[in-house]
Amino acid sequence: MARPNEGTPLLEVRNLEVRYEPKASRSLTAVQDVNFTIAPGEFVGLIGESGSGKTTLATALLRLLEKPGRISNGTIMFDGTDITHLDQDELRAIRWRDLSTVFQSSMNSLNPVVRIEPQFRDAIEQHSDLRGEDVSARVRELFDMVFIDHRFITAFPHELSGGMKQRVNLALALALDPKLVLLDEPTTGLDVVVQHSILQNVRKLQEEKGFAVLFISHDIGTVLDLSDRILVMYSGRIVEDQTAAELLREPLHPYTKGLLGSYGDPRAETVRITYIPGRPPDLSLVSEGCSFAPRCPEKIDRCLTEYPELLPIESGEVACHVAALHRLVGADGIELPERNRRFVGPEFVKTADESAHARERDIVLTVDNVTKVFEKRRGLKVDRTVAVADTSFVLRKGAVTALVGQSGSGKSTLARMITGIDSPTEGRIVFHGPDGDQEVASFRGRALRSYRSHVQMVFQDPYSALNPTKRLGQILERPLVNYHGLKGDARRKRVEELLETVALTPADRFINRYAYELSGGQRQRVVIARALAVLPEVIVADEPISSLDVSIRAEILELLNDLVQDHDVGILYITHDLLSARMLADEVIVLNEGRVVEQGPVLQVIRDPQDPYTRTLLDAVPNPF
Amino acid sequence: MSTTPNDFMAEGEPDQGQAVEQVGSSTTPDSWWQVVWSSKKARVGLVILGLYVLMAVFAPLIAPHDPLDGSFTPLLPPSGEHWLGTNTNGRDIASQLIFGSRISLLVGLFGGALATAIALVVGLVSGYTEGTIVDDVLSFVTNVALVIPALPLIITLVAYSDTRGVWLIVGIIALTSWAGAARGKRAQIITLRNRDFVTSAKFSGEGSARIIFSEIMPNMSSLVVAGFVGAATGAVGAEAGLAVLGLGDTRSVSWGTMLYQADAQGAIQQGLLTWIFAPGLALAILITAMSFINFGVDLLSNPHLRED
C-alpha cells in the first residue's frame, strides 16, 4: 500500500449515498451526496440529531452495512485505497490495524465469557508480530494510557463499571496504533462526570499519538470542546463543514445555530436557550427543496423548491441559500432575513429574579433525615449499601426543587421513596396533603393508590413510558377513570384539554394516535399530560429530558416551567445536568454518594459552589461559549 | 417565565400540521395480517386451513353420503358413487373423511384456546407476582403439570370417565398441555413488567388484573397467537392419537376413529389403503398447514425475520 504524501487526506469520501431498500416497506436514502475528507491526525466531529444518518454514515465508512442497506453511490478512499467495494478478506487487513472503532453500544461489545487480556491478545496477535510476554506488556501499556488499574487486565467484563468498560474499549481500539479511530457516541449512557473524563482522555491521547478521529455525537457541546473541525449532518446530508472555532464564532447554517442555541451559560444572569420546533423529515418521502426548510426560521421562497448546494463560504462549506445569498452572491433583489448569529426560533428564557418568591410558598412534602440502606445477603455475609444517608429537604407548591448528582448518588432511590415505591430505613417522608399530614411509608393498598392521585411521575425515557399498544386518548383517560370517575363526553373533553395544555394541538388530531407516531419530544409531552391528568400536588420528574435530542430539550423544560406557573404543582426535578437545573429549578440539592453536599437557591449554588463535587459537576456541563 | 419572540410555527400553523400528518402515514407498521401473509409458508398454510374449514362447515353439502350409513356394500373400490370406496362396515370412506374434519378442527380450536387461556392466566399472574407466595404456588402447580407424564394421565382420565364426548377430549387435552406455555408466558412477562409504562399504569391507579391483561398482555399478543397455533396443532394431534388408541367418541366420526377402526379391521393386511391413508394424510396436511402458519406468526414477534 502506498504511503500517503503529506497533505493528502487520510479519508476521502466522495458523493457517498447509502440506501435502505427493504422488501416490505418503502426504500429510503439515509445518506445522500456526502463529501468530506479527514487529514492525518485531525480530530473531526460529526453532529446531528437522532435519525440524521450519522450512524449509517459511520457503518458505511467501516463497511459494516448490512442488508437491506447498501452503498448505492460514491467512493470511500482510505489511506490511498478505495475501500468502497473491497471484499471482506481484503478489508480484514485494514480493519483494526489502520481503522478501528468504539461503538455506540460498546457497553456490550466485550465478550462476557472471555477475560479482558485474551480479547486484547486476539486483536494484537492477528495483526502484529507481537507474541507472548510482549503482548502482555503492550496491554499493560494500553491500560496505563486509559488510566485503569492493571489488576483488571485479567478480569471478566462484568467486573468492570460502565466507564471502565468504555475505557477498555478505547484501549482496544488503540491497541494497534490505528490511523483513524471512529467513535460513535462512545459515552452515551455514561455518567456526565465519567463521560467528561473519558473524552478528555481521548483528546489527550489523540494529540500524543497523532491518530485521526471521527467523533460522532448528538451533543454539539462536547463535540465543540474536542474537535478541530465539525461536520453538521441533517436528514442524511452534510449541511455545514467548518473548523470548530469558526463554527462557534459564526455558525452559518440555521440548523447549526439551533444546535448551538440549546446551550447557555448556567452562571449568567439571564439564560436563553432556543429549541428547534418540529421534527426531521421522513427520508422515505421524496421532498422538494431544503430538508430543513419546514423547521427553519430564516427560510425564503427558494428554500422550498431548490435543495441548496454545499458551497464553500468563508473558511468552510455550507448548504444554505440564505447564507450563500448573504455572503457570496449578494441579495440580488430577493428579500432576505437579517444576518443573525443566533437561531431566531422559539426560546426559553430564565432570569435571576424569578425564584425568590417561590421559596416562600407552602410546603407540600417534607423529607426528614431520611436514610436508606440496601442489604444483600450473600451466604452468611450481609452486604450493606447506604444509598441515601441522612437527607432532609422540602418540596413547595409551585416551586421546583432540583436533585442533582451523578448516577449512583441516590437520586432515584429518593424518588422511589417519595412516590411510595420504597420506604426509608430511617427518617420520615411526610406529605402535607388535603387530609392533613401523612407519612408516605405508611401507605398500603388503597391508601397508596389515593396518594398517587397527589404525587405523579414523569419518566426518563418517553419511549418506554407509553404503552405501545394504546392510543394516546386511552392512555390519558385511565387516570381520569380511576381517580375521578369521569365518563363519556366529560372524560373526552378533559383528555382534549390535557393534550392542549401540553401543546399537542389540535387535540383531535392526536387523540387517536399511537405513541410510535410521535417524536421523542411529543411523547414526553404525553407523559407529562398523563402526570397532570389527576391535578397532582407533586410531580417527580426523573431526568425527563436526558433521553431527548439536545435541540428539543428546552421545549420540554419550558412546558414544565409553564405547569409550575399555571397549575401550581411542586416539581422534584432529578437531573445530572446543572444547566437544566438552572433553567427550571428554584432550589437545588447536590447529592454525592447518598449525602447532601450542598443545598440552596439554584443561582447561588451555581455561581458560588462551596463543595468540590459541585464544581466537578459544573465542569462537566458542556459549555462551548 | 417563557417567551416566544416570533410566532414562528406556533400551535395550529399549517407547517406543523403538515409535519404531524406526514409522521402518521409513514411510520405506521404493517398490520398483523399483512405481516403473516407476507410469508410464503404462512400463505400456503392459511389457504390449506381455509379449505379445511370450508370442508368442515359445508360437510353435509359436499359429502355424497351420511358417514354413519352402513347400508352400502362393504369393501367397494373407489368409484363415482363412492370416491374413496367403502370400508368393512359398508360406510362411505370419503364422507367419513369429510365429516371427520369437523371433530379435528373443533378440538384444535377449543383445545388450543382453552390450553392457551389456562397458560395465560397462570403464567401471567405468576410472572407478574414473581417472588411472592402467589408465584410460588402457581409455579409449583405449573412444575407439577410439567412433570406428570401426560399420555398415561390422559388415558386414565378418559378410561374412567362416563361420557366420551368431544368436550371431554377438549378439556382433557387442555388440562394436560398448558404447563409448558405457562412457563414461557411467565418468563415473557418478567421481562415486560419492569418497563416504565407498567410503573406509569400503577401511577394511573390501575389494578393488577388490568395491568396484566390490558396493559402488558397486548404487548405480547404475537407470542400469544403463536402459542395458540402451537397448542391447537398439538390438540389436533392429541385427539387423533386418543382416538387411534380407542379412547375417542365412538359415536362420532373423526379421522382418529377412522384410523382406529381401519387398524382394528386389519385394513393394511387387506390392502384397503385408502381407508388408512386418507385420514392419515388429511391429518398430516392439516398439521403441516398449521405449522406453516406459525412461520408467519413468528414474523410478528421477531421483526428481524421479516427481511429476506
Side-chain angles (χ1 to χ4, degrees):
Chain A
M1 199 188 305
R3 301 291 309 161
N5 303 321
E6 199 61 27
T8 50
L10 178 64
L11 180 78
E12 185 173 8
V13 177
R14 287 284 154 250
N15 306 326
L16 188 69
E17 184 182 87
V18 178
R19 285 179 64 75
Y20 284 97
E21 289 165 338
K23 274 187 193 153
S25 53
R26 258 185 308 212
S27 51
L28 59 90
T29 311
V31 169
Q32 213 167 342
D33 201 22
V34 164
N35 291 287
F36 69 93
T37 58
I38 295 178
E42 198 179 13
F43 199 119
V44 178
L46 175 64
I47 50 172
E49 61 200 305
S50 39
S52 60
K54 311 181 294 283
T55 298
T56 302
L57 177 58
T59 330
L61 294 180
L62 294 165
R63 290 286 320 280
L64 290 173
L65 273 180
E66 282 184 18
K67 272 191 163 186
R70 65 181 181 93
I71 297 176
S72 48
N73 195 10
T75 54
I76 304 165
M77 296 284 285
F78 177 72
D79 203 14
T81 319
D82 184 349
I83 61 165
T84 330
H85 301 290
L86 282 191
D87 64 37
Q88 296 297 322
D89 280 342
E90 292 168 299
L91 280 168
R92 196 156 55 200
I94 300 173
R95 281 183 182 153
W96 226 256
R97 202 190 60 199
D98 294 330
L99 174 60
S100 69
T101 181
V102 177
F103 289 109
Q104 202 165 4
S105 55
S106 286
M107 306 293 274
N108 315 320
S109 70
L110 294 170
N111 188 338
V113 296
V114 180
R115 290 178 194 275
I116 306 285
E117 189 178 7
Q119 306 200 30
F120 275 80
R121 193 171 282 275
D122 270 354
I124 293 172
E125 290 187 353
Q126 173 71 36
H127 291 284
S128 73
D129 300 328
L130 296 182
R131 291 293 180 274
E133 182 48 35
D134 290 348
V135 177
S136 303
R138 175 69 181 149
V139 176
R140 283 196 294 275
E141 194 184 331
L142 289 164
F143 267 58
D144 286 337
M145 271 160 52
V146 294
F147 307 112
I148 300 184
D149 197 302
H150 288 181
R151 69 195 162 95
F152 289 108
I153 292 177
T154 50
F156 281 105
H158 72 263
E159 298 172 58
L160 276 58
S161 69
M164 266 156 55
K165 270 187 222 171
Q166 205 56 305
R167 286 174 188 275
V168 167
N169 276 305
L170 179 63
L172 193 54
L174 301 179
L176 297 153
D177 285 325
K179 299 192 177 87
L180 176 64
V181 181
L182 207 150
L183 306 172
D184 187 359
E185 309 235 12
T187 53
T188 307
L190 290 180
D191 193 82
V192 263
V193 176
V194 179
Q195 184 173 342
H196 189 67
S197 79
I198 291 183
L199 292 177
Q200 293 305 327
N201 195 190
V202 171
R203 179 71 203 193
K204 214 178 112 262
L205 287 171
Q206 186 264 342
E207 275 162 6
E208 281 168 23
K209 308 275 171 191
F211 53 88
V213 173
L214 180 62
F215 175 46
I216 298 176
S217 175
H218 64 272
D219 183 354
I220 196 172
T222 48
V223 175
L224 273 168
D225 271 352
L226 299 170
S227 312
D228 302 320
R229 193 156 56 88
I230 288 177
L231 308 169
V232 184
M233 201 162 180
Y234 186 76
S235 74
R237 299 176 192 251
I238 304 282
V239 295
E240 183 156 0
D241 177 349
Q242 285 274 15
T243 61
E246 201 51 35
L247 191 89
L248 186 57
R249 196 180 64 77
E250 191 158 30
L252 295 177
H253 198 281
Y255 180 60
T256 320
K257 294 176 196 172
L259 290 177
L260 279 171
S262 43
Y263 289 92
D265 182 357
R267 295 172 191 86
E269 190 74 21
T270 306
V271 192
R272 301 166 175 275
I273 50 178
T274 59
Y275 55 89
I276 306 173
R279 56 185 293 173
D282 179 355
L283 294 172
S284 67
L285 298 176
V286 184
S287 66
E288 258 191 5
C290 176
S291 46
F292 188 62
R295 303 171 75 186
C296 182
E298 296 184 17
K299 64 169 174 275
I300 54 175
D301 289 345
R302 185 181 293 186
C303 300
L304 300 174
T305 51
E306 272 174 59
Y307 189 85
E309 297 280 316
L310 190 64
L311 295 172
I313 297 179
E314 293 175 9
S315 62
E317 292 185 328
V318 180
C320 175
H321 287 308
V322 177
L325 289 170
H326 268 314
R327 285 152 217 266
L328 293 179
V329 252
D332 198 19
I334 304 169
E335 202 179 313
L336 287 177
E338 242 178 279
R339 258 172 84 150
N340 206 326
R341 205 200 143 266
R342 289 185 61 82
F343 186 70
V344 285
E347 62 180 352
F348 174 39
V349 185
K350 184 83 173 183
T351 55
D353 56 304
E354 281 171 44
S355 295
H357 74 280
R359 286 191 299 276
E360 286 139 31
R361 300 293 308 274
D362 293 343
I363 295 174
V364 65
L365 191 124
T366 312
V367 175
D368 191 10
N369 296 95
V370 162
T371 299
K372 177 76 188 177
V373 181
F374 289 107
E375 288 186 352
K376 204 184 211 173
R377 205 170 285 280
R378 279 193 186 156
L380 293 174
K381 228 175 69 191
V382 179
D383 283 351
R384 285 167 55 89
T385 316
V386 180
V388 176
D390 200 20
T391 298
S392 303
F393 59 87
V394 294
L395 298 183
R396 290 168 199 276
K397 257 192 179 161
V400 182
T401 305
L403 206 53
V404 184
Q406 69 191 99
S407 41
S409 59
K411 300 179 304 227
S412 299
T413 310
L414 268 169
R416 290 170 64 85
M417 290 191 287
I418 288 171
T419 52
I421 300 172
D422 267 344
S423 48
T425 321
E426 273 168 55
R428 303 183 335 134
I429 297 174
V430 180
F431 175 62
H432 312 285
D435 309 327
D437 293 359
Q438 289 164 298
E439 197 177 332
V440 172
S442 69
F443 293 132
R444 294 275 178 283
R446 193 170 291 274
L448 183 60
R449 215 185 83 144
S450 87
Y451 173 58
R452 291 204 173 127
S453 67
H454 303 293
V455 175
Q456 283 282 311
M457 185 137 185
V458 173
F459 296 85
Q460 177 169 12
D461 180 8
Y463 289 82
S464 74
L466 295 175
N467 193 334
T469 61
K470 299 247 186 269
R471 297 173 191 278
L472 302 189
Q474 293 171 315
I475 290 173
L476 290 178
E477 71 185 26
R478 291 310 304 168
L480 299 174
V481 174
N482 288 329
Y483 293 123
H484 295 170
L486 286 184
K487 287 197 186 66
D489 280 350
R491 187 169 75 197
R492 167 140 184 138
K493 212 167 150 268
R494 177 78 181 117
V495 169
E496 284 179 0
E497 220 174 271
L498 283 169
L499 285 169
E500 311 250 339
T501 312
V502 295
L504 293 175
T505 47
D508 54 352
R509 187 179 272 152
F510 286 93
I511 205 160
N512 282 325
R513 287 185 182 279
Y514 290 99
Y516 63 78
E517 297 174 82
L518 306 182
S519 66
Q522 287 172 324
R523 285 178 207 224
Q524 196 60 294
R525 284 170 185 273
V526 177
V527 174
I528 292 172
R530 178 176 55 195
L532 207 60
V534 293
L535 303 170
E537 273 86 7
V538 176
I539 291 181
V540 175
D542 189 356
E543 308 249 11
I545 59 166
S546 65
S547 62
L548 300 177
D549 266 314
V550 178
S551 62
I552 55 167
R553 286 183 181 175
E555 192 182 332
I556 297 300
L557 286 180
E558 184 179 27
L559 174 65
L560 287 171
N561 193 55
D562 289 348
L563 296 185
V564 177
Q565 309 295 331
D566 303 345
H567 297 261
D568 218 25
V569 285
I571 293 186
L572 178 67
Y573 177 66
I574 299 175
T575 185
H576 58 252
D577 170 19
L578 274 167
L579 172 61
S580 68
R582 159 78 175 93
M583 293 308 288
L584 191 61
D586 306 297
E587 205 172 350
V588 65
I589 297 158
V590 183
L591 273 182
N592 186 18
E593 289 170 2
R595 280 174 198 286
V596 176
V597 293
E598 195 155 359
Q599 186 166 6
V602 65
L603 202 57
Q604 183 189 318
V605 170
I606 283 175
R607 280 197 180 153
D608 186 20
Q610 300 299 313
D611 192 85
Y613 180 72
T614 316
R615 274 179 233 131
T616 317
L617 279 177
L618 263 173
D619 287 340
V621 177
N623 185 4
F625 308 106
Chain B
M1 193 188 74
S2 65
T3 52
T4 310
N6 60 359
D7 241 1
F8 157 69
M9 269 182 44
E11 287 83 74
E13 282 238 334
D15 278 4
Q16 200 178 31
Q18 210 174 28
V20 172
E21 286 309 322
Q22 187 192 45
V23 168
S25 62
S26 63
T27 53
T28 313
D30 296 331
S31 43
W32 61 272
W33 48 270
Q34 278 174 317
V35 174
V36 175
W37 193 252
S38 75
S39 153
K40 278 191 196 113
K41 284 183 189 140
R43 234 176 296 170
V44 171
L46 282 168
V47 168
I48 295 174
L49 182 67
L51 292 176
Y52 271 80
V53 170
L54 287 177
M55 180 162 85
V57 170
F58 297 108
L61 299 177
I62 303 168
H65 308 285
D66 181 347
L68 293 173
D69 179 1
S71 61
F72 304 107
T73 320
L75 299 176
L76 283 176
S79 65
E81 177 68 20
H82 301 286
W83 300 338
L84 296 171
T86 56
N87 65 15
T88 50
N89 301 326
R91 291 174 181 169
D92 181 55
I93 295 177
S95 303
Q96 287 208 321
L97 191 72
I98 291 167
F99 274 92
S101 63
R102 290 185 152 185
I103 300 280
S104 285
L105 289 177
L106 221 59
V107 172
L109 178 66
F110 288 102
L114 194 57
T116 308
I118 299 173
L120 273 175
V121 172
V122 174
L124 295 187
V125 171
S126 85
Y128 185 71
T129 58
E130 189 202 5
T132 65
I133 183 85
V134 179
D135 175 39
D136 289 347
V137 171
L138 290 174
S139 289
F140 179 77
V141 174
T142 311
N143 290 338
V144 168
L146 269 177
V147 294
I148 283 182
L151 195 60
L153 177 69
I154 297 178
I155 292 173
T156 318
L157 284 173
V158 176
Y160 279 90
S161 63
D162 299 331
T163 53
R164 287 259 174 111
V166 176
W167 301 112
L168 174 78
I169 304 288
V170 165
I172 283 176
I173 288 173
L175 275 177
T176 49
S177 64
W178 57 271
R183 278 256 127 195
K185 305 278 186 303
R186 179 175 178 274
Q188 285 152 21
I189 197 172
I190 288 173
T191 69
L192 285 170
R193 64 172 193 153
N194 288 326
R195 298 275 174 91
D196 284 348
F197 71 80
V198 177
T199 317
S200 65
K202 287 181 196 156
F203 275 89
S204 297
E206 306 282 30
S208 296
R210 217 189 145 90
I211 290 180
I212 296 175
F213 295 106
S214 168
E215 295 283 332
I216 304 181
M217 202 176 78
N219 283 288
M220 41 198 274
S221 51
S222 58
L223 295 158
V224 174
V225 173
F228 165 71
V229 177
T233 313
V236 169
E239 184 276 331
L242 285 181
V244 168
L245 291 173
L247 297 166
D249 179 6
T250 40
R251 285 159 303 141
S252 64
V253 183
S254 82
W255 296 330
T257 52
M258 285 174 77
L259 285 168
Y260 169 65
Q261 285 169 2
D263 187 47
Q265 309 283 335
I268 292 184
Q269 291 88 330
Q270 296 186 50
L272 304 170
L273 294 182
T274 52
W275 196 9
I276 276 277
F277 278 111
L281 203 62
L283 266 173
I285 292 174
L286 176 61
I287 289 174
T288 310
M290 290 171 79
S291 306
F292 274 1
I293 293 173
N294 237 349
F295 278 102
V297 177
D298 274 348
L299 301 187
L300 288 175
S301 46
N302 189 353
H304 290 293
L305 297 172
R306 289 184 204 172
E307 264 322 304
D308 300 322

